[in-house]
Each structure stands twice: as C-alpha cells, then as structure tokens.
Amino acid sequence: MSRSALALQVGVVARRSVVRTLRQPAMVVPALLFPLMLLSINSSGLDSATELPGFPTDSYFEFALAIAFVQGALFSANSAGTNVSSDIESGFLARLSLTPLRRVALLLGQLAGILALGLIQALTFLGVGILFGAGIAAGVAGALVIVSLSLLISLGFGCIGAFVALRTGSGEAVQGAFPLLFAALFLSSMALPRDLIETDWFRTVADWNPVSYMLEGIRSLVITGWDGEALALGFACAGGLAALALAATSSALRTRMARA
Amino acid sequence: MSTAAIEIHDLVREFKKGPRAVDGIDLRVESGEVYGFLGPNGAGKSTTVHMLTTLLPPTSGTARVAGHDVVKEGAAVRAAIGAALQEAALDPFLTGREHMKLQTALHGMRGEDGRRRGDSLLERVGLTDAADRKVRGYSGGMKRRLDLALALVHRPRILFLDEPTTGLDPQSRSALWAEVQRLASDRGVTVFLTTQYLEEADVLADRVGIIDHGRIVAEGTPDALKAEIGRPSVEAIPADPANLPRTKEVLARFGEAVAASPKGAAVRLSRGEAQLAEVVRALDAQEIAVEHLQLHAPTLDDVFLAKTGRSLEGAGDGAPEHAAEAAPSEATSPRLVRQEA
Amino acid sequence: MSRASFGSVALAVGWRSVHNYFRNPAMFVPGLMFPLFFFTAFAGGLSRVDSVPGFDYEAGYTAFVYGFVLLQASAFGGIFTGFAIARDFESGFSRRMMLAAPRRSAIVAGYWIPALTRAAFNVAMITVIALAAGLEILGGGLDLLGLYTLALLVNAAAMLFGSGVAMRLRTMQAGPAMQVPAFLALFLAPVWVPYDLLVGWVHAAATVNPITLVLEAGRGFIAGDPVKVLPAFAVTLALAALTVLWARGGLRSAERAG
Ligand SMILES: Nc1ncnc2c1ncn2[C@@H]1O[C@H](COP(=O)(O)OP(=O)(O)OP(=O)(O)O)[C@@H](O)[C@H]1O
Ligand SMILES: [Mg+2]
C-alpha cells in the first residue's frame, strides 16, 4: 500500500474519531470541568499549605495547576477506552477489520480524537491558569512546552484506556480501570512537593510513581522557569509511558482484529 | 352496574412534544373476554396499555379496570392485573428464578409459598432448565416467556399483553397462543392483547379493536369485521405460464387486482363469492387451462385497508398483498405497517 | 390475588439491588475505591499540613481526614444508588416494580437498603484501613453513636436527593446532575484543613454550606470533644426532610411520564 493511501486512511479514521469525541458533551464537559473544579477547590482550600517551610511558591494555585493537565489526561484514558469499547460492542471494529485498513492507521486514527480533546484541555487549563494569575515562569516558549508535554501525557493515558478496552472488549472494564488510574495521580507529588511528604511509605511510592515526574515537569515551567532536570524527567516518564502503552495497544489491536 | 373488566371513556393521552398518542378512545371489555388491540407502529397501543395498567396517567377521559378507576384507585387496579409489556422489563443480572423470587416478594408472597408458585410457573413456561441462568444469556423468546410467567405470579384476573409474540419463532408463538387460550378458557382470565399480527388477533381474540393514529377505526368480532368488508379474492394460476398475461386480463373484469404468487394472478371480487362461477366460465371461454384456482376469504388486512385507506406490509409500492396466504407460514404472517404518504 | 405490604415491597426492591451490587465488581469497586484513594492520598500525602500554624485538631491528621472520608463514603453510597435507580428507569425495569407496588413510595424506601449497604461496606473498609494507618478515635461510645448516626442521615439524604434526580430525568445521563451537586457540597467545606485556614471563595462557600457543620461535628465526635452537635443534627434532619419532599416530587414526575 502506498504512503499516500496510508495517510488517507489515517485521515479518515482520525476525522471520525475527532468528530465522535467532540460531539459527545458527556465526554468533553466533565474532562474540562472536573479538573478545573478540583483545581479551584484545592487551591483555595489548601492555600495554607504554602506556609509550610520549604514550599516552593506562595500560591497554591500555581502549584496545583499542573494537576489539571494530568487529571485531564486521565479523562483521555476513559474517553479512549469508551470509544474503543463501543466500537467493539457495536461491531464497528469488526467491520473495519474486513476492509484493507492498516492497523497503524486505525490506531493513530483512533487516538486523534483523544489528542484533539487533549489539546482543548491543555489550552483551556493554560488559559484559566493565566487568567487567574499563575505566571508561567518559563514564558511563552514554556507554555508551548507545557502543551506538548500535556499532549504526550494524554497520548500515554489514552493508549492505556484503549488497551484495556481492546483486551476486555467491555465498557464496564474501562470504567472499572478509571479509579486505578486515579490512584496513580493521588499517590504522587500531587498535593505536596515530595520532600514535604511526611509519611515514609507514601514518599517512597511518590518517588517511584512516574506521575510525580510528569507533574513536576509541568510545575517547573510554571513556578521556576527552565529546569532541565525536571523537564528531562517529565518528558522521559511521559514518553516512556506513551511508547510502552502504544506498543501494548498495537499488539492488543492485532489480537483483537485477528479475532474479529 | 358494570361487570366489564375494562371500561374506557374518551381516553386521551398527549405527550408534551409529541402527538396525541391516544385520541379519544371508548371501549369495553367484558369479563373473561380476549380482546385484541390491533394497529401499526405508533398507533397508540402501548400508550393505551400503559394508561390501563396505571403506569401512565391519562390526559383526559376515564378508565376503569376491574371496576376501579386507574387514576384514583391505582393500588386496587394493580392488585387485580398482570402485565407483560412490550419491552420485557427484566434485569440482565438476575436469573429467572431470582426474578420469580423478586416478583413473588413484590406481591407479598413469602418463603415456601412464593417458591412453589415460582417453580410451577417456570415449569409451565418451560424455563425450569434455564431458571438458574442469568437473563442476560436468555434468547428473546425465553425472555418473553419469563415475562409472561412473572405477570401471572399473583393470579391476576385481567392480563395485559403488549405485543407478546413479536420476535418469537412460529413454535414459541403457538405455544404462547395456547397458553393465552388456556388462561382465558380454564381460568376465566380477561386478556387485553395488543398485536401487529392480523393472524394473531384472528386466532386469539373474541373481539378486535383496530386502532390507528390514536383512534379506534373498527371494532367487532373478527368474523363480523371480515363479513362487513365481505369481498373475497380469487387467485388463478394458468397451467401454461405463457397464458399469464391473458389470465390477468380476464380476471381484471371481475375486480381490482391484488398481489398474487409470481405464477398467478388475483383480484378482489367486486360482487363477492357468487362471481366465482363466472370467473371459471370466462377463463374457460378464453381456453385458458387453469392449474390452480383458489378463493381467499377476506382477512383482517382487508378490514384495515378498508377502514384506513392504507395498505399493509409486503407491498412496498402500496399495492395490497396477501403474503400470508401465498406462503401460509406463521413466521411470515402479515403485519400492519404504516405507509408514510 | 394478594396484596403486598409497604415493607415487603421495600424489602424486595432492596434485596434485588444489594444482590446486583455485590455481584458486579464494576458497580462496587469504583464506589469503594474513590473514598479509599482519597483517604490514603491525603492522610498519607498531606499529613504535613497539620503543622501549619493555626491547625489545631487533637486527634491528628489521619483522624481529620477520616472524618471527611467517612462522610464522603456515606454520601456516595447514596448517590451511587441514584445511578442504579436511573438505570432501572432507563431500562424500563422500574415498571415491573411500579406495576406491583400498591404504594410506590415503598420502592424509594427499598432503594435505601442498597444505599445503606454500600455505605456500610465502604465505611467498614475505610475504617479498617484507617485503623491500620494509625487512626486514633478519642471519642467514646456515645460519640461514635453520634458520628455514625450523622453518617446514616447523610446517606439517606444523599440517596433521596439522587433518587429525586434519577426519577425526574430517568436516564443514565443524569449521573453528573447527581454527582456534581454532591461533589460541590462535600468539597466546598473544610476538607483538608480546618475552616479557619480556608481562604478565598471556598472559605465563603464553606461558611454557608451546611455540610461544614456536619463535618465539624463529626470530627468533634472522633476527637471525643463534641462541638456543634445540635446545629449539625438540626441541619442533617432538615436536609433529610427536604430530600424526602424532593424524592416524592421525583416519584410523582416519574408516574406522570410513565
Ligand atoms: N414517552 C413518550 N413521549 C413522547 N411521545 C411518545 C411517548 N411514548 C409514545 N409516544 C408517541 O405516541 C405514539 C404512540 O406510541 P405507542 O408506543 O403507543 O405506539 P404503539 O401502537 O405501541 O406502537 P408499536 O407497535 O411500535 O409498539 C407514537 O407516535 C409515539 O412516538
Ligand atoms: Mg407498542
């Protein structure tokens, strides 16, 4: 199959996936609203935490802003999983597997909707952040880096959702996996910087949790400016997750399409 | 005083953004009667059933079921009736037996009593073997049978069945018919049954009401309704297929054409049965050898056609057709279908 | 022909929901996980905030968070039951119950059984984990009675609120309409730090939010130092009464729509 035919296939599937995702208010609205709600509540409710010695900023809002991006990505996992599982349940995937459509095309296409949603999320969170007084220390270029890191995180989590859907074929399983992903967010340096976490086991978990580094990558651009180490760790964790999840999803898709 | 099981006066139901689903219905069903409520999709059958079973309040008009007003005495009505609705209200996560347990408990039957009743009903509808499987894995016919059994738990005097055989295979359909007939004749249960199958109303119902656009357009016993229309059709199949066009020409003199088998021609006799002899003579005069000649009695399809001016399913272009008579299988019995003008 | 009592209908409805609940991990796992995660994430991760000046709560940060999560689990037990009700109305299963019950309020009462079961199950799990994580309850038997009675009332009110929404909208899409108000009521309160340490709009919201009182009274019971007991009970009873009316209106609306 020629290159341009592949591009065409990706385009067609991607278009459908974007339209389908953005046309479901139930997918878009909570994905924007819930992170903003948590951000707003936490930044006001936990502002006194900035008085802890060693806290990196005097605005909890700036500190918490990064959470919105990662929490938004968790919704991507849910949306991707729900989209794929409903494609499986409705037989749409089976129909696609009868066409000469290439697997990569299908995979990339399916994730386009998630990336579109991820982009809307990232821009919204960034806009809200700036509007309510979070200075982006790394400037305009930093804002662009935040958006791209955020998209990478969405891609990774989106693949996890798609993977669960492909392996189980069930929308319920996707919903069931959602709290587990939330655990990954909660057991990280979400609420406090890691060196201020008092409970030993919790700090250990947060140290090993890649989500901590994703948060800290975004956070560094907001609070400190250009921090090479934090960025490298953030991109490495997000990129690593995305690569692993993509590979797993691709193999799950192969199994599923062979079966369909 | 009324001994009627169901008595309806000028019943109306309007939906907010919808049509007048039921538009002033009057009817009366006597105790022990099987009443067939016949109509195409969207005619208002289910809406009527919902009002009679206290699931939906009427916009206006009155309805008494088992002598109780459906609005003011809902609890008394519910105690007297059983209903199997169009969408079988089943929980996919419960087994058949668990549904029985729920239903007997809902009706206040506890312990051993309820269990025995449940088991005997499951057996009666042939679900004993499947009783401990989740309903999620039941076939459409099994779900219908379970739904019927659940409706019978508290030995209702009046039974509402909303399209009970839609989606059933011929065997399950006749089994269900037999069960309904048994309930009516042995137990004296009054049955209010909606259907889109003309044949079903014909077989089961003592009396039939035809509903269209929320209004009753005809009512009576199936025979009376058919007699009122009264014009049979005749179908002829020539021995030599080459004679088919001429056969059509000859028949056309006796009435308007109706659909026939591919090898034959058929017309509705404009002056009734007596014309049959003339038809035979006319064919003979043209020297057309006939392999097969058959008189079809009028059916409820004809009644519907005459009352609404609209035709029935199977005739995509609007021509009336007698599919069931050409292929007398229950599975292909004709259904009323609304033809959009 | 037999006629069921209010109690037998309620029990039958309750039996079925509880039965389904424990049979479907997809139903009970999320309801359990969220309060658990909240508890571990915040009791573990945020414990340092109790050294912020002005944070005075005797029983420690674990107990502080436990007070919130207990309330959350009770409320969610009720709200998730609202989802189940919406599902029954969407699928038409509710008609089976509407057809059988002489008094339909028995159906709503019956749904309280799974709401309570969920909450009790979740609270038990959280309590075990909290105790393992070093929760110290300083209150005595009477304090505990007060604490769990409050939780029970909150559970009933949440379930009645959820059922009112479910029966008005009769679709699973109603999920957010139940969840968001419950979420806001729970979180616009002194969740992670005491009321005096809240700033900005959450402080203002917590001032008018009745849940603030409930939360403070609950934490008082845990610390063995009951505070604001009467106002808290008054507020929860009033909430329960209001939600009874709300649920009854919902039932009417469902009956009207068929
Ligand atoms: N809840 C509702 N809201 C709005 N309109 C409704 C509602 N229920 C029914 N209708 C409308 O009322 C009319 C009658 O519907 P009803 O379900 O009674 O028809 P029916 O005769 O049972 O049809 P079918 O054979 O398809 O079951 C239809 O036009 C339908 O769209
Ligand atoms: Mg119907």
Side-chain angles (χ1 to χ4, degrees):
Chain A
M1 182 174 297
S2 76
R3 222 201 183 89
S4 67
L6 180 63
L8 183 72
Q9 288 184 346
V10 174
V12 171
V13 183
R15 211 184 113 77
R16 165 180 180 270
S17 153
V18 172
V19 167
R20 174 189 163 87
T21 306
L22 300 186
R23 269 198 199 147
Q24 299 182 67
M27 237 168 224
V28 178
V29 175
L32 291 174
L33 211 62
F34 278 101
L36 288 177
M37 226 160 79
L38 190 73
L39 172 64
S40 157
I41 287 169
N42 274 353
S43 55
S44 174
L46 274 171
D47 200 61
S48 52
T50 56
E51 288 169 38
L52 291 172
F55 200 85
T57 159
D58 59 3
S59 151
Y60 197 81
F61 180 71
E62 282 188 352
F63 182 80
L65 185 58
I67 303 171
F69 294 91
V70 177
Q71 202 194 346
L74 297 185
F75 281 94
S76 303
N78 202 29
S79 315
T82 307
N83 275 342
V84 172
S85 64
S86 74
D87 275 354
I88 293 171
E89 281 162 11
S90 72
F92 185 79
L93 196 70
R95 194 145 61 77
L96 282 185
S97 68
L98 295 176
T99 68
L101 190 75
R102 295 258 298 267
R103 239 178 337 112
V104 243
L106 184 58
L107 189 58
L108 290 176
Q110 285 284 4
L111 295 168
I114 294 320
L115 289 179
L117 181 60
L119 186 64
I120 293 174
Q121 284 173 320
L123 294 176
T124 309
F125 301 148
L126 201 60
V128 169
I130 293 169
L131 197 66
F132 286 90
I136 307 295
V140 178
L144 287 178
V145 176
I146 290 179
V147 172
S148 44
L149 180 52
S150 171
L151 280 178
L152 195 58
I153 298 171
S154 289
L155 180 66
F157 280 106
C159 281
I160 293 179
F163 174 76
V164 173
L166 286 167
R167 287 306 293 261
T168 62
S170 122
E172 265 179 11
V174 172
Q175 299 299 331
F178 196 49
L180 291 176
L181 293 178
F182 250 90
L185 174 62
F186 281 178
L187 300 177
S188 71
S189 56
M190 170 181 121
L192 283 182
R194 271 181 292 138
D195 53 6
L196 288 185
I197 295 175
E198 207 173 38
T199 318
D200 289 335
W201 71 264
F202 197 101
R203 196 172 51 244
T204 313
V205 172
D207 277 340
W208 284 93
N209 185 350
V211 173
S212 295
Y213 302 97
M214 300 179 195
L215 285 168
E216 287 162 21
I218 296 177
R219 204 170 265 160
S220 71
L221 293 163
V222 178
I223 298 176
T224 36
W226 295 100
D227 174 344
E229 191 190 335
L231 277 183
L233 279 169
F235 272 97
C237 286
L241 176 73
L244 275 178
L246 259 175
T249 311
S250 164
S251 113
L253 187 60
R254 181 184 359 233
T255 323
R256 170 67 61 181
M257 286 183 74
R259 217 181 305 156
Chain B
M1 258 319 287
S2 78
T3 55
I6 302 172
E7 211 180 345
I8 306 178
H9 289 297
D10 200 21
L11 196 65
V12 172
R13 174 70 202 200
E14 255 170 71
F15 288 107
K16 269 195 201 94
K17 274 164 269 162
R20 262 185 160 216
V22 172
D23 193 6
I25 283 184
D26 288 276
L27 66 81
R28 188 183 158 98
V29 179
E30 302 300 331
S31 268
E33 208 178 6
V34 178
Y35 189 87
F37 210 40
L38 189 64
N41 286 131
K45 303 183 295 294
S46 298
T47 306
T48 306
V49 168
H50 288 167
M51 288 191 283
L52 295 180
T53 54
T54 75
L55 286 171
L56 187 71
T59 306
S60 66
T62 58
R64 298 179 77 79
V65 173
H68 305 286
D69 186 282
V70 293
V71 178
K72 296 189 200 97
E73 301 163 283
V77 171
R78 291 195 282 279
I81 63 167
L85 301 176
Q86 188 168 2
E87 288 105 36
L90 299 173
D91 182 332
F93 295 112
L94 294 183
T95 66
R97 202 184 301 282
E98 285 163 352
H99 270 95
M100 271 298 164
K101 182 174 164 189
L102 173 70
Q103 193 75 21
T104 47
L106 279 174
H107 284 290
M109 279 176 238
R110 322 228 105 242
E112 193 52 37
D113 235 19
R115 190 157 41 246
R116 241 177 305 150
R117 177 82 182 137
D119 287 347
S120 83
L121 280 170
L122 284 171
E123 175 159 11
R124 204 197 297 170
V125 295
L127 285 176
T128 305
D129 289 339
D132 293 311
R133 277 165 45 198
K134 282 191 197 157
V135 162
R136 204 207 310 238
Y138 277 23
S139 73
M142 292 163 80
K143 286 184 190 158
R144 287 257 162 215
R145 268 143 54 201
L146 177 59
D147 201 25
L148 176 67
L150 291 170
L152 296 176
V153 156
H154 57 302
R155 300 190 170 84
R157 284 186 280 135
I158 304 174
L159 189 61
F160 289 88
L161 302 173
D162 195 356
E163 302 199 15
T165 62
T166 301
L168 294 194
D169 64 26
Q171 256 161 321
S172 322
R173 181 173 302 170
S174 24
L176 198 133
W177 286 354
E179 181 62 27
V180 170
Q181 273 161 339
R182 201 188 65 80
L183 283 165
S185 57
D186 298 3
R187 304 276 159 113
V189 174
T190 309
V191 180
F192 186 95
L193 163 113
T194 82
T195 182
Q196 307 184 33
Y197 297 107
L198 304 149
E199 188 191 359
E200 182 161 290
D202 216 346
V203 169
L204 282 181
D206 300 320
R207 226 146 41 86
V208 170
I210 295 183
I211 180 173
D212 186 37
H213 291 305
R215 290 169 183 274
I216 292 189
V217 294
E219 199 185 37
T221 66
D223 286 341
L225 283 173
K226 284 184 274 187
E228 196 183 316
I229 308 298
R231 293 186 298 135
S233 61
V234 68
E235 179 177 9
I237 299 176
D240 178 0
N243 281 334
L244 186 55
R246 283 175 56 223
T247 308
K248 281 187 178 155
E249 269 167 42
V250 172
L251 287 186
R253 291 184 228 147
F254 299 92
E256 83 270 28
V258 294
S261 75
K263 285 189 280 179
V267 291
R268 170 151 304 113
L269 297 173
S270 53
R271 281 176 292 112
E273 217 161 328
Q275 282 178 293
L276 188 59
E278 296 172 37
V279 172
V280 174
R281 280 197 294 273
L283 287 169
D284 211 32
Q286 295 288 319
E287 291 178 344
I288 300 172
V290 172
E291 177 189 283
H292 177 91
L293 186 75
Q294 195 176 358
L295 189 70
H296 295 298
T299 64
L300 285 175
D301 330 20
D302 305 320
V303 177
F304 183 80
L305 178 68
K307 295 290 180 185
T308 66
R310 270 174 299 115
S311 60
L312 309 176
E313 192 204 24
D317 52 7
E321 189 180 40
H322 297 254
E325 290 153 81
S329 135
E330 283 159 332
T332 58
S333 76
R335 305 173 73 183
L336 295 169
V337 162
R338 171 158 291 157
Q339 303 272 325
E340 304 300 341
Chain C
M1 187 175 76
S2 56
R3 218 150 152 174
S5 67
F6 188 93
S8 66
V9 171
L11 276 177
V13 172
W15 166 80
R16 170 208 164 231
S17 298
V18 171
H19 176 95
N20 274 2
Y21 169 61
F22 283 110
R23 213 182 240 192
N24 296 301
M27 278 167 125
F28 77 81
V29 170
L32 175 62
M33 292 299 218
F34 273 107
L36 265 184
F37 289 151
F38 265 92
F39 179 73
T40 30
F42 292 100
L46 209 59
S47 54
R48 197 57 161 277
V49 290
D50 72 356
S51 52
V52 167
F55 197 120
D56 46 354
Y57 182 65
E58 218 147 294
Y61 198 67
T62 304
F64 190 82
V65 175
Y66 176 75
F68 174 73
V69 176
L70 171 71
L71 194 68
Q72 190 194 24
S74 308
F76 276 22
I79 291 294
F80 274 93
T81 302
F83 286 15
I85 300 175
R87 184 182 307 119
D88 281 345
F89 274 87
E90 186 173 281
S91 70
F93 189 81
S94 57
R95 287 195 175 133
R96 176 166 303 291
M97 300 182 281
M98 298 286 259
L99 267 173
R103 282 176 61 198
R104 284 159 172 175
S105 48
I107 299 171
V108 181
Y111 277 119
W112 192 31
I113 298 172
L116 203 58
T117 311
R118 270 164 203 250
F121 181 69
N122 291 351
V123 165
M125 295 291 284
I126 289 159
T127 307
V128 167
I129 290 190
L131 287 172
L135 167 70
E136 276 184 85
I137 293 185
L138 305 180
L142 204 59
D143 294 319
L144 286 186
L145 183 67
L147 176 67
Y148 292 112
T149 309
L150 269 184
L152 193 82
L153 287 171
V154 167
N155 174 253
M159 175 268 157
L160 288 165
F161 167 72
S163 71
V165 176
M167 291 186 294
R168 277 178 177 80
L169 301 178
R170 299 180 295 280
T171 150
M172 291 290 283
Q173 313 274 2
M178 301 173 212
Q179 223 170 6
V180 172
F183 226 76
L184 289 177
L186 282 171
F187 282 88
L188 297 179
V191 176
W192 318 125
V193 293
Y195 173 74
D196 292 332
L197 291 183
L198 293 176
V199 297
W201 73 284
V202 171
H203 184 273
T207 310
V208 294
N209 185 356
I211 297 297
T212 302
L213 275 177
V214 182
L215 199 49
E216 288 180 337
R219 283 176 177 147
F221 286 130
I222 298 173
D225 172 22
V227 289
K228 305 183 182 170
V229 175
L230 277 183
F233 271 96
V235 156
T236 10
L237 284 171
L239 265 182
L242 278 179
T243 49
V244 165
L245 295 180
W246 170 252
R248 197 160 64 170
L251 183 58
R252 294 280 136 78
S253 149
E255 286 182 325
R256 264 197 309 278

